[in-house]
Amino acid sequence: MRFKDVFSIIGPAMTGPSSSHTAGAVRLARVARHWLGVQPDRARMTLYGSFADTYKGHGTDLALIAGLLNYDTDDYRIPDAEQCAEQAGMEVEFAVSGLPAPHPNTVRFELWKGEDQRTLLGSSIGGGSIHVQQLNEFRVNLTGELPTLVLLHSDKPGTLGAVTSALGAAHINIAYMHVDRKGRDGEALTAIETDSPAPAELITELRALPHMYEIKMINLKKGAESDAV
Amino acid sequence: MRFSHLHELGALCVEESTTIGRLMIKEQVQETNTPEEEIFRQMSDYYEVMKEAVHRGQTQDTVSRSGLTGGDGKRLAEYLRAGETCSGDASALAMAYALSVSEVNASMGRIVATPTAGSCGVIPGVFISAQERFGWDDEHMVRGLFAAGAIGYVIANNSFISGAEGGCQAEIGSAIGMAAGAMVELRGGTPEQAIHAVGLALKNTLGLICDPVAGLVEIPCIVRNGLGAVTALAAADMALAGVRSAIPSDEVIDVMLEVGSAMPSKHRETAKGGLAQTPTGKRLTESLTRNIPAKKDKS
């Protein structure tokens, strides 16, 4: 089922005008921010397809900036996001691309915080629902509907076993899981969508596992803040 | 969810002697493992946002960001207050409210996607005008929203709800089908009647293209929301009178998928066909593009 519950049909509460171009854009950008873990110093967003054609009129640019500021889809500050970003010291830049994209409403983020640079490729698939396809060029398949743990680790046997055991012991149920690696024995990324958010202690425990580089928490629930984790 | 088609939804309601709205609440509790009060509160909050949007559209200026649209919801309500309408007062008020919500949307105001932002006017238009007319309490309306959500859930998973995917039949059509079915239930009709209303309504929107001028959710989307609210009321009346959808509603949803998939991309929210490519549509697009230049990179 593409749409999983009643609130994917009625909702979200949002700032107009387009659930694909505005609400979906806010949510994609929020995922990107949570993936970076903090507010970026600088962001470059490349728009594809219909996003590229109509982003100005739909306020997609404002929505994307708002998401990077961690605003929710119905935040009344969205129309003023440009000024808010300026006040927050976040530099933003937009580009449009004529290249084919996986979906008509697609955006690629490049985010910088100091030395740390991240990318995300995602699409807004309608009604405010999103599909994140890539995190730092790793393939994923995320909706942002559920709290999501993103783990960067080395491709070593037993790593995922240790992670899932720890989740199980903490009674965190795994709903969906996606694994991709750059190459055998190389860097790997695992994204785990869970029915309830993993508590901070559990994340600390996971971080201490051998072969684990870093863990980020993506949680789009109203008011949820990634930066503390 | 225990249902993926309307006939299954209807059968479950009969089996458990319940309404679509009540069944959907139960399913949502089960699916998301969230207490009923919390789910109900979430939907009540959405209903408040819908009411605020109607109010805002009826009392404030709602010029869209592009400057192309605004003020028609108020215009229609004034016309309704001034005298006899052609379509009847209930229809005119539903239409006025639907236009208002869509105008608030186009002006980057707060709305609820029902099921999308482009189609956000239909359900509030139908619901809030009917609430005023019949004096229902908010709880009744919120249960109605769950009924609308159940119908939308089936449509979305078997066909589509966005104009980009299936044309405006998918976007406005879904909203109309949802509003029609929910309205039957709000009036005390049976789940079976509600489901017939969905089919009756959707049959009338099949083939509707999505052709927004300059790609924006304004022209013709706002008026389609207004007229959609009236279609929903009419379909609800037919179903309450005992009219049945000769082609079962699930099959109509399948047809929407078939028609939408066959629709050329120029008629699916790309602004490359339909009203967007009329001489006036092109002129408006051109005038907007001149005001707001977009950077083009080399990639």
Coordinates of all heavy atoms in Angstrom, one line a residue, chain A residues 1-7 9-19 21 54-59 62 74 78-79 94-99 127, chain B residues 1 4 24 28 39 42-43 46 65 105 108-113 115-117 149 152-153 156-157 159 165 178 214-217 269 295-297 299:
Chain A
M1 N 0.8 -1.2 0.0 CA 0.0 0.0 0.0 C 0.9 1.3 0.0 O 1.7 1.4 0.9 CB -0.9 0.0 1.2 CG -2.0 -1.0 1.2 SD -3.2 -0.6 -0.1 CE -4.1 -2.2 -0.2
R2 N 0.6 2.1 -1.0 CA 1.5 3.4 -1.0 C 1.1 4.3 0.1 O 1.9 5.0 0.6 CB 1.2 4.1 -2.4 CG 1.8 3.4 -3.6 CD 2.0 4.4 -4.7 NE 0.7 5.0 -5.1 CZ 0.6 6.1 -5.8 NH1 1.6 6.8 -6.2 NH2 -0.6 6.5 -6.2
F3 N -0.2 4.4 0.4 CA -0.7 5.3 1.5 C -1.1 4.4 2.6 O -1.9 3.5 2.4 CB -1.9 6.1 0.9 CG -1.4 7.0 -0.2 CD1 -1.4 6.5 -1.5 CD2 -1.0 8.3 0.0 CE1 -1.0 7.4 -2.5 CE2 -0.6 9.1 -1.0 CZ -0.6 8.7 -2.3
K4 N -0.6 4.7 3.8 CA -0.7 3.7 4.8 C -1.7 3.9 5.9 O -2.2 3.0 6.6 CB 0.7 3.5 5.5 CG 1.8 3.0 4.5 CD 2.9 2.4 5.2 CE 4.0 2.0 4.2 NZ 3.6 1.2 3.1
D5 N -2.2 5.2 6.0 CA -3.2 5.4 7.0 C -4.1 6.6 6.7 O -3.9 7.2 5.7 CB -2.5 5.6 8.4 CG -1.9 7.0 8.6 OD1 -1.5 7.6 7.6 OD2 -1.8 7.4 9.7
V6 N -5.0 6.9 7.6 CA -6.0 7.9 7.3 C -5.4 9.3 7.2 O -5.8 10.1 6.4 CB -7.1 7.9 8.4 CG1 -6.7 8.5 9.7 CG2 -8.4 8.6 7.9
F7 N -4.3 9.5 7.9 CA -3.7 10.9 7.9 C -2.8 11.1 6.7 O -2.3 12.2 6.5 CB -3.0 11.2 9.2 CG -3.9 11.2 10.4 CD1 -3.7 10.4 11.5 CD2 -5.0 12.1 10.4 CE1 -4.6 10.4 12.6 CE2 -5.9 12.2 11.5 CZ -5.7 11.3 12.6
I9 N -4.1 10.6 4.0 CA -5.2 11.1 3.0 C -5.7 12.4 3.5 O -5.8 13.4 2.7 CB -6.3 10.0 3.0 CG1 -5.8 8.7 2.6 CG2 -7.4 10.5 2.0 CD1 -5.1 8.6 1.2
I10 N -6.2 12.5 4.8 CA -6.6 13.8 5.3 C -5.4 14.3 6.1 O -5.0 13.8 7.1 CB -7.8 13.6 6.3 CG1 -8.9 12.8 5.7 CG2 -8.2 14.9 6.9 CD1 -9.9 13.5 5.0
G11 N -4.9 15.4 5.6 CA -3.7 16.0 6.2 C -2.5 15.8 5.2 O -2.7 15.2 4.2
P12 N -1.4 16.5 5.5 CA -1.1 17.2 6.7 C -1.8 18.6 6.7 O -2.3 19.1 5.6 CB 0.4 17.4 6.6 CG 0.7 17.4 5.1 CD -0.3 16.5 4.5
A13 N -1.9 19.2 7.9 CA -2.2 20.7 7.9 C -0.9 21.3 7.3 O 0.2 20.9 7.7 CB -2.4 21.1 9.4
M14 N -1.1 22.3 6.5 CA 0.0 22.8 5.7 C -0.2 24.2 5.2 O -1.4 24.7 5.2 CB 0.3 21.9 4.5 CG -0.9 21.7 3.6 SD -0.4 21.0 2.0 CE 0.4 22.3 1.2
T15 N 0.9 24.9 4.9 CA 0.8 26.1 4.2 C 0.7 25.9 2.8 O 1.4 25.1 2.2 CB 2.1 26.9 4.5 OG1 2.2 27.1 5.9 CG2 2.0 28.3 3.9
G16 N -0.3 26.5 2.1 CA -0.5 26.3 0.7 C 0.7 26.7 -0.1 O 1.7 27.2 0.4
P17 N 0.6 26.6 -1.4 CA -0.5 26.2 -2.2 C -0.6 24.7 -2.7 O -1.6 24.3 -3.2 CB -0.4 27.1 -3.5 CG 1.1 27.3 -3.7 CD 1.7 27.2 -2.3
S18 N 0.5 24.0 -2.6 CA 0.5 22.7 -3.3 C 1.1 21.6 -2.3 O 2.2 21.8 -1.8 CB 1.3 22.7 -4.5 OG 1.7 21.4 -5.0
S19 N 0.4 20.6 -2.1 CA 0.9 19.5 -1.2 C 2.2 18.9 -1.8 O 3.1 18.6 -1.0 CB -0.1 18.5 -0.8 OG -1.0 18.2 -1.9
H21 N 4.2 20.5 -4.0 CA 5.3 21.5 -4.2 C 5.7 22.2 -2.9 O 6.7 22.8 -2.7 CB 4.9 22.6 -5.2 CG 4.9 22.0 -6.6 ND1 3.9 21.2 -7.1 CD2 5.8 22.1 -7.6 CE1 4.1 20.9 -8.3 NE2 5.2 21.4 -8.7
T54 N 8.1 25.2 -11.8 CA 7.1 26.0 -11.1 C 7.4 26.3 -9.7 O 6.5 26.7 -8.9 CB 5.7 25.3 -11.2 OG1 5.8 24.1 -10.4 CG2 5.2 25.0 -12.6
Y55 N 8.7 26.2 -9.3 CA 9.0 26.3 -7.9 C 8.7 27.7 -7.4 O 8.3 27.9 -6.2 CB 10.4 25.9 -7.6 CG 11.5 26.8 -8.0 CD1 12.1 27.6 -7.0 CD2 12.0 26.9 -9.3 CE1 13.2 28.4 -7.3 CE2 13.0 27.8 -9.6 CZ 13.6 28.5 -8.6 OH 14.7 29.4 -8.9
K56 N 8.9 28.7 -8.2 CA 8.8 30.1 -7.6 C 7.3 30.4 -7.3 O 7.0 30.8 -6.2 CB 9.3 31.1 -8.7 CG 10.8 31.3 -8.6 CD 11.2 32.2 -7.5 CE 12.6 32.6 -7.5 NZ 13.1 33.4 -6.4
G57 N 6.4 30.1 -8.2 CA 5.0 30.4 -8.0 C 4.4 29.6 -6.9 O 3.5 30.0 -6.3
H58 N 4.9 28.4 -6.7 CA 4.4 27.5 -5.7 C 5.0 27.8 -4.3 O 4.7 27.1 -3.3 CB 4.6 26.0 -6.0 CG 3.6 25.5 -7.0 ND1 3.9 24.9 -8.2 CD2 2.2 25.4 -6.8 CE1 2.8 24.5 -8.8 NE2 1.7 24.8 -8.0
G59 N 6.1 28.6 -4.3 CA 6.8 28.8 -3.0 C 7.6 27.6 -2.6 O 7.9 27.4 -1.4
L62 N 10.7 28.5 -0.8 CA 10.5 28.9 0.6 C 10.2 27.7 1.4 O 10.7 27.6 2.6 CB 9.2 29.9 0.7 CG 9.3 31.1 -0.2 CD1 8.0 31.9 -0.1 CD2 10.5 32.0 0.3
D74 N 2.9 23.2 8.5 CA 1.9 24.2 8.7 C 2.4 25.4 9.4 O 1.7 26.2 9.9 CB 0.6 23.6 9.4 CG 1.0 23.2 10.8 OD1 2.2 23.1 11.1 OD2 0.1 23.1 11.6
I78 N 6.5 30.0 7.0 CA 7.0 29.5 5.7 C 7.1 30.6 4.7 O 8.1 30.7 4.0 CB 6.2 28.2 5.3 CG1 6.5 27.0 6.2 CG2 6.6 27.9 3.8 CD1 5.6 25.8 5.9
P79 N 6.0 31.4 4.5 CA 6.1 32.5 3.5 C 7.3 33.4 3.7 O 7.8 34.1 2.8 CB 4.8 33.2 3.6 CG 3.9 32.2 4.3 CD 4.7 31.4 5.2
F94 N 19.6 28.0 -5.2 CA 18.8 27.1 -6.0 C 19.3 27.0 -7.4 O 19.8 28.0 -8.0 CB 17.3 27.6 -6.0 CG 16.7 27.5 -4.7 CD1 16.7 28.6 -3.8 CD2 16.1 26.3 -4.3 CE1 16.1 28.5 -2.6 CE2 15.5 26.2 -3.1 CZ 15.5 27.3 -2.2
A95 N 19.2 25.8 -8.0 CA 19.5 25.6 -9.4 C 18.4 24.7 -10.0 O 17.8 24.0 -9.2 CB 20.9 25.0 -9.5
V96 N 18.2 24.9 -11.3 CA 17.3 24.0 -11.9 C 18.0 23.1 -12.9 O 19.0 23.5 -13.5 CB 16.1 24.7 -12.6 CG1 15.2 25.4 -11.6 CG2 16.6 25.7 -13.6
S97 N 17.5 21.9 -13.1 CA 18.2 21.0 -14.0 C 17.2 20.4 -15.0 O 16.1 20.1 -14.6 CB 18.8 19.8 -13.2 OG 19.3 18.9 -14.1
G98 N 17.6 20.3 -16.2 CA 16.7 19.7 -17.2 C 16.9 18.2 -17.4 O 16.3 17.5 -18.2
L99 N 17.8 17.6 -16.5 CA 18.1 16.2 -16.6 C 16.9 15.4 -16.2 O 16.1 15.8 -15.4 CB 19.3 15.8 -15.8 CG 20.6 16.3 -16.3 CD1 21.7 16.0 -15.3 CD2 21.0 15.7 -17.6
G127 N 0.2 14.7 -2.2 CA -0.5 14.8 -0.9 C 0.5 15.0 0.2 O 0.1 14.7 1.4
Chain B
M1 N -4.5 -2.1 7.6 CA -6.0 -1.9 7.4 C -6.6 -3.2 7.0 O -6.0 -3.9 6.2 CB -6.3 -0.8 6.4 CG -5.7 0.5 6.7 SD -6.5 1.4 8.0 CE -5.3 2.7 8.4
S4 N -9.0 -3.0 1.5 CA -8.3 -2.2 0.5 C -9.2 -1.8 -0.6 O -8.8 -1.1 -1.5 CB -7.1 -3.0 -0.1 OG -7.5 -4.3 -0.5
M24 N -13.1 3.3 10.5 CA -11.8 3.9 10.2 C -11.0 4.3 11.4 O -9.8 4.1 11.5 CB -12.0 5.1 9.3 CG -10.7 5.6 8.7 SD -10.0 4.4 7.5 CE -8.3 4.8 7.6
Q28 N -7.4 2.8 12.3 CA -6.3 3.7 12.5 C -5.6 3.4 13.9 O -4.4 3.4 14.0 CB -6.7 5.1 12.4 CG -5.6 6.2 12.6 CD -4.7 6.3 11.4 OE1 -5.1 5.8 10.3 NE2 -3.6 7.0 11.5
I39 N -5.9 10.1 18.2 CA -6.2 10.1 16.7 C -7.4 11.0 16.5 O -7.4 11.8 15.6 CB -6.6 8.6 16.3 CG1 -5.3 7.8 16.2 CG2 -7.3 8.6 15.0 CD1 -5.5 6.3 16.1
Q42 N -6.2 14.6 16.8 CA -5.5 15.0 15.5 C -6.5 15.4 14.4 O -6.3 16.5 13.8 CB -4.6 13.8 15.1 CG -4.1 13.9 13.7 CD -2.8 14.6 13.6 OE1 -1.7 14.1 14.1 NE2 -2.7 15.8 13.1
M43 N -7.5 14.6 14.2 CA -8.5 14.9 13.2 C -9.3 16.2 13.6 O -9.6 17.0 12.7 CB -9.4 13.7 12.9 CG -10.2 13.8 11.6 SD -9.1 13.8 10.2 CE -9.2 12.1 9.7
Y46 N -7.3 19.1 12.7 CA -7.4 19.4 11.2 C -8.8 20.1 10.9 O -8.8 21.0 10.1 CB -7.4 18.1 10.4 CG -6.0 17.5 10.3 CD1 -5.8 16.2 9.9 CD2 -4.8 18.3 10.6 CE1 -4.5 15.6 9.8 CE2 -3.6 17.7 10.4 CZ -3.4 16.4 10.1 OH -2.1 15.9 9.9
R65 N -0.3 34.3 -4.4 CA 1.1 34.8 -4.5 C 1.4 35.3 -5.9 O 2.1 36.3 -6.1 CB 2.1 33.6 -4.2 CG 2.5 33.6 -2.8 CD 3.3 32.3 -2.4 NE 4.5 32.2 -3.3 CZ 5.6 32.8 -3.1 NH1 5.7 33.7 -2.2 NH2 6.6 32.6 -3.9
N105 N -5.4 28.7 0.3 CA -4.3 27.9 -0.1 C -3.4 28.6 -1.1 O -2.2 28.6 -1.0 CB -4.9 26.6 -0.8 CG -3.8 25.6 -1.3 OD1 -2.9 25.3 -0.5 ND2 -3.9 25.3 -2.5
M108 N -0.8 31.0 0.2 CA 0.1 30.4 1.1 C -0.4 30.5 2.6 O 0.4 30.6 3.5 CB 1.5 31.0 1.0 CG 2.4 30.4 -0.1 SD 4.1 30.8 0.0 CE 4.8 29.2 0.7
G109 N -1.7 30.4 2.7 CA -2.3 30.3 4.1 C -2.4 28.9 4.5 O -2.0 28.0 3.8
R110 N -2.9 28.7 5.7 CA -2.9 27.3 6.3 C -4.2 26.6 5.9 O -5.3 27.1 6.1 CB -2.8 27.5 7.8 CG -2.0 26.4 8.5 CD -1.4 26.9 9.8 NE -2.5 26.9 10.8 CZ -2.5 26.1 11.8 NH1 -1.6 25.2 12.0 NH2 -3.5 26.2 12.7
I111 N -4.0 25.4 5.4 CA -5.1 24.5 5.0 C -4.7 23.1 5.4 O -3.7 22.8 5.9 CB -5.4 24.6 3.5 CG1 -4.1 24.4 2.7 CG2 -6.0 26.0 3.1 CD1 -3.8 23.0 2.3
V112 N -5.7 22.2 5.1 CA -5.4 20.8 5.3 C -5.5 20.1 3.9 O -6.4 20.4 3.2 CB -6.4 20.1 6.3 CG1 -6.0 18.6 6.4 CG2 -6.4 20.8 7.6
A113 N -4.5 19.4 3.6 CA -4.5 18.6 2.3 C -5.6 17.6 2.4 O -5.6 16.7 3.3 CB -3.2 18.0 2.0
P115 N -7.7 15.4 -0.5 CA -6.4 14.7 0.0 C -5.2 15.4 -0.4 O -4.1 15.1 0.2 CB -6.5 13.4 -0.9 CG -7.3 13.8 -2.1 CD -8.2 14.8 -1.7
T116 N -5.3 16.4 -1.3 CA -4.1 17.2 -1.6 C -4.4 18.7 -1.3 O -5.5 19.0 -1.0 CB -3.7 17.1 -3.1 OG1 -4.8 17.7 -3.9 CG2 -3.6 15.6 -3.5
A117 N -3.4 19.5 -1.5 CA -3.7 21.0 -1.3 C -4.5 21.5 -2.5 O -5.3 22.4 -2.3 CB -2.4 21.7 -1.2
G149 N -11.7 9.9 4.9 CA -10.4 9.4 4.9 C -10.4 7.9 4.4 O -9.5 7.5 3.6
G152 N -10.9 7.9 0.7 CA -9.7 8.3 0.0 C -8.5 7.3 0.1 O -7.8 7.2 -0.9
Y153 N -8.5 6.6 1.2 CA -7.5 5.6 1.4 C -7.6 4.5 0.3 O -6.6 4.1 -0.3 CB -7.6 5.0 2.8 CG -6.8 3.7 3.0 CD1 -5.4 3.9 3.4 CD2 -7.3 2.5 2.9 CE1 -4.7 2.7 3.6 CE2 -6.6 1.3 3.1 CZ -5.2 1.5 3.5 OH -4.5 0.4 3.7
A156 N -6.7 6.2 -3.2 CA -5.3 6.5 -3.3 C -4.5 5.2 -3.6 O -3.5 5.2 -4.3 CB -4.8 7.1 -2.0
N157 N -4.9 4.1 -2.9 CA -4.1 2.9 -3.0 C -4.5 2.0 -4.3 O -3.7 1.2 -4.7 CB -4.2 2.0 -1.8 CG -3.4 2.6 -0.6 OD1 -2.2 2.9 -0.9 ND2 -3.9 2.8 0.5
S159 N -5.8 3.7 -7.2 CA -5.7 4.6 -8.3 C -4.7 5.7 -8.0 O -3.6 5.4 -7.6 CB -7.1 5.1 -8.7 OG -7.1 5.8 -9.9
E165 N -0.1 12.6 -11.3 CA -0.1 11.2 -11.7 C -1.3 10.9 -12.6 O -1.2 10.2 -13.6 CB -0.2 10.3 -10.5 CG 1.2 10.3 -9.7 CD 1.1 9.4 -8.5 OE1 0.2 9.5 -7.7 OE2 2.0 8.6 -8.4
M178 N -14.8 11.5 -1.9 CA -14.6 11.4 -0.5 C -15.7 12.2 0.2 O -16.4 11.8 1.2 CB -13.3 11.9 0.0 CG -12.1 11.0 -0.4 SD -10.5 11.9 -0.4 CE -10.3 12.3 1.3
A214 N 0.4 28.1 -15.8 CA 1.8 28.3 -15.3 C 2.1 27.2 -14.2 O 3.1 27.4 -13.5 CB 1.9 29.7 -14.6
G215 N 1.4 26.2 -14.2 CA 1.7 25.0 -13.3 C 1.2 25.3 -11.9 O 1.4 24.5 -11.0
L216 N 0.5 26.4 -11.7 CA 0.2 26.8 -10.3 C -1.2 26.3 -10.0 O -2.1 26.1 -10.8 CB 0.2 28.3 -10.2 CG 1.5 29.1 -10.5 CD1 1.3 30.6 -10.3 CD2 2.6 28.6 -9.6
V217 N -1.4 26.0 -8.7 CA -2.7 25.5 -8.2 C -3.7 26.6 -8.1 O -4.2 26.8 -7.0 CB -2.5 24.8 -6.8 CG1 -3.7 23.9 -6.5 CG2 -1.2 23.9 -6.9
E269 N -0.7 18.0 -15.1 CA -0.1 19.0 -14.2 C 1.2 19.5 -14.8 O 2.0 20.1 -14.1 CB 0.2 18.5 -12.8 CG 0.0 19.6 -11.8 CD 0.5 19.2 -10.4 OE1 0.5 18.0 -10.1 OE2 0.8 20.1 -9.6
K295 N 16.9 30.7 -12.2 CA 18.3 30.4 -12.6 C 18.3 29.1 -13.3 O 17.7 28.1 -12.9 CB 19.2 30.4 -11.4 CG 20.1 31.6 -11.3 CD 21.2 31.3 -10.3 CE 20.7 31.4 -8.9 NZ 21.7 31.3 -7.9
K296 N 19.0 29.0 -14.4 CA 19.2 27.7 -15.1 C 20.6 27.3 -15.0 O 21.5 28.1 -15.4 CB 18.7 27.9 -16.5 CG 18.4 26.7 -17.3 CD 16.9 26.4 -17.3 CE 16.6 25.1 -18.0 NZ 15.3 24.7 -17.8
D297 N 20.9 26.1 -14.5 CA 22.3 25.7 -14.5 C 22.6 24.9 -15.7 O 21.8 24.6 -16.5 CB 22.7 25.0 -13.2 CG 22.1 23.6 -13.1 OD1 21.3 23.3 -14.0 OD2 22.4 22.9 -12.2
S299 N 23.8 21.7 -15.8 CA 23.6 20.3 -15.6 C 22.4 19.8 -16.3 O 21.4 20.5 -16.5 CB 23.6 19.9 -14.2 OG 22.6 20.6 -13.5

